[in-house]
Amino acid sequence: MNKEYFHSVILRPDLCTGCTVCMQNCPTQAIRIIDGKAKIISEKCIDCCMCLKVCPYNAKTAITDSLIELQQYKYNIALPSLSFYAQFSQKYSKNSINLALKSLGFEQIIDASYYAEVLSVYLKDLSLCNSTVKPIISTYCPAVTRLIQIKNPELIKNISRLESPMEVAARHVRNKIIEEKNISENDIGIFLLSPCPAKITSIKNPIGIDKSSLDGALSIKELFPKILKILLTQRNEEINDLQNFHGELWGRVGGQSKVSKIDKSIVVDGIEEVSKILDMIELGKLDNIDFIEAYSCVGGCVGGPLNVENPFIAKYRIDNRSNSSYPVSNNEIRSNFKFENLCWNKEILPSKIMELDNDISIALKKMEAINALLKKLPGIDCGACGSPSCRALAEDVVQNRAKFTDCIFKKFEGEENEN
Amino acid sequence: MKFEYTISNLNFSTAGEASSNIKKVLKLLGIDSKIIRRAAIATYEAEINIAIHSHGGKIILYIEEDSIKITAIDKGPGIENIELAMKEGYSTATHEIREMGFGAGMGLPNIKKCSNEFSITSEFGKYTKLEITIFI
């Protein structure tokens, strides 16, 4: 995989027809149609995967690692995301799925639900702490964190300092293996089995930390048929399945609040609704709330575009399994994990990508130019020019990213005048 | 530069639009996010006030290099006692409006808190006018 890229979501030009559906649906207006193909403006993309979900031609895809990457390491570890096991029919035990993963080349499988539970304990602490800026916003969905950087930078101070269960799990297990098995750090490969491109981007281009503890990410969608093939040939196995922790509930919307037992929390899913809630926080309307659990995808991580199962069925399976799972004891968590080791440490910075200019007097002049252009445009936001709205085209023209005659109405007018 | 937004009486589906638009404009201009937040809160409270208390009105935004001026003007009924209206928790909103989560009596005091300069004038039975200045 190319380590230099910024986003996991990419376009397959061969399949793109330039139809404008993705451009019209992108919540940060990060897409333009140029020469008949959709282009993502990297700095504006938050990896919410809306384009991937709405593309009628499946022309959007995610860059992921493949199983071949496992050859780079001597000791490979799979880190299934919290919505992973819910992709499989309940007749397959967690144990049998793990055995299938082992036959695909993994030496060890990490149970992320344990680490979600560790974080839940400290999340509850944070919600009770008076010095924390409220409401605390979860960082679990990286697309939400990126949306805050772009659209609501005033809320960066509300972002929870706790890392994701994936980072915490990978770091903890890596250190343990180096210590116990005497394997050198470079020989260990930890791979996320990911439900979404946003988490993959976070490995290559992390926010809040210098370097991810994960080495790569595989798409659940790509792995699923391979695992299923193995499961189908497996014999019936032992009755005692592996233990399951409450933390698996983090795989679906509402899980963080439920496991942390934070009462005053707002749970919101779907990027547009998330954006509205963030605006409400900025207006000071949610000061009485302790915690915001927000997900770009409807349903939470079960709704991730790299999953295979219907999100509502997967959610049902997670809930069902949680009835027979056990919480980890608070004492065990507190003696094994310290708060300061579970936090990101690098400042999260606001993005300035939406600004017209650094200099306000130039920005004002550009704004005047945009308003003047806007009056001349038809105002029907058809998208045929390749920008998502007439306003966006006016802005693109002023910023030298497009021409006024990209507007098909203006183009025809111009041609008529010539004739 | 001037932007104008019309606010109609009791139309809650559009209330908040002026605030959200102003936020976008100020963001494009690269104005500090703390100042944007204050302008957004002041505008939001002002437009909610117009929507719940008045017969309709408008919000006008003027942006200069060193300041943002927000004027909110409505067509009445005006405020009988301005001093009382400025008190935190004082509200004349109806029970129905309160049921909808508005009318907590914090709007005007909040607007004042967000402003560097603030003035309120009203003629009972005619109009209310807020003039809000936030320095950049």
Side-chain angles (χ1 to χ4, degrees), chain A residues 37-55:
Chain A
K37 304 284 174 196
K39 298 241 159 52
I40 301 173
I41 303 166
S42 184
E43 296 88 341
K44 285 189 184 176
C45 174
I46 58 169
D47 295 270
C48 71
C49 307
M50 183 60 90
C51 55
L52 211 135
K53 289 174 197 162
V54 298
C55 178

Side-chain angles (χ1 to χ4, degrees), chain A residues 150-155 157 279 281-283 285 354-356 360-361 363-364 367-368 371 395, chain B residues 1 3 19-20 23 25-31 33-34 37 40-41 44-45 63-65 110 136:
Chain A
I150 287 187
K151 280 180 95 175
N152 304 81
E154 268 301 283
L155 300 180
K157 57 182 182 293
D279 286 343
I281 304 172
E282 232 177 31
L283 288 172
K285 297 292 164 196
M354 296 298 185
E355 297 176 7
L356 292 172
I360 179 144
S361 53
L364 274 165
M367 179 79 79
E368 267 166 26
N371 289 341
E395 202 183 307
Chain B
M1 204 178 330
F3 293 85
S19 161
S20 135
K23 211 159 95 172
V25 168
L26 298 179
K27 204 167 180 59
L28 277 169
L29 292 173
I31 286 164
S33 56
K34 282 192 190 69
R37 188 178 195 174
I41 294 174
Y44 181 81
E45 298 292 357
I63 310 169
E64 274 152 40
E65 278 187 37
N110 238 343
I136 296 175

Side-chain angles (χ1 to χ4, degrees), chain A residues 212-268:
Chain A
S212 171
S213 297
L214 285 132
D215 298 288
L218 303 166
S219 144
I220 291 178
K221 207 182 232 170
E222 272 179 42
L223 221 48
F224 185 82
K226 297 188 177 87
I227 298 169
L228 203 60
K229 207 171 156 193
I230 300 167
L231 286 172
L232 290 170
T233 57
Q234 260 177 4
R235 278 179 296 126
N236 281 346
E237 23 116 9
E238 75 282 21
I239 304 136
N240 289 333
D241 194 13
L242 292 167
Q243 199 185 351
N244 207 43
F245 301 101
H246 270 148
E248 193 188 5
L249 284 165
W250 279 47
R252 58 93 159 158
V253 62
Q256 297 180 63
S257 310
K258 193 170 180 190
V259 183
S260 312
K261 301 190 184 74
I262 302 174
D263 298 327
K264 285 186 198 162
S265 63
I266 286 181
V267 173
V268 52

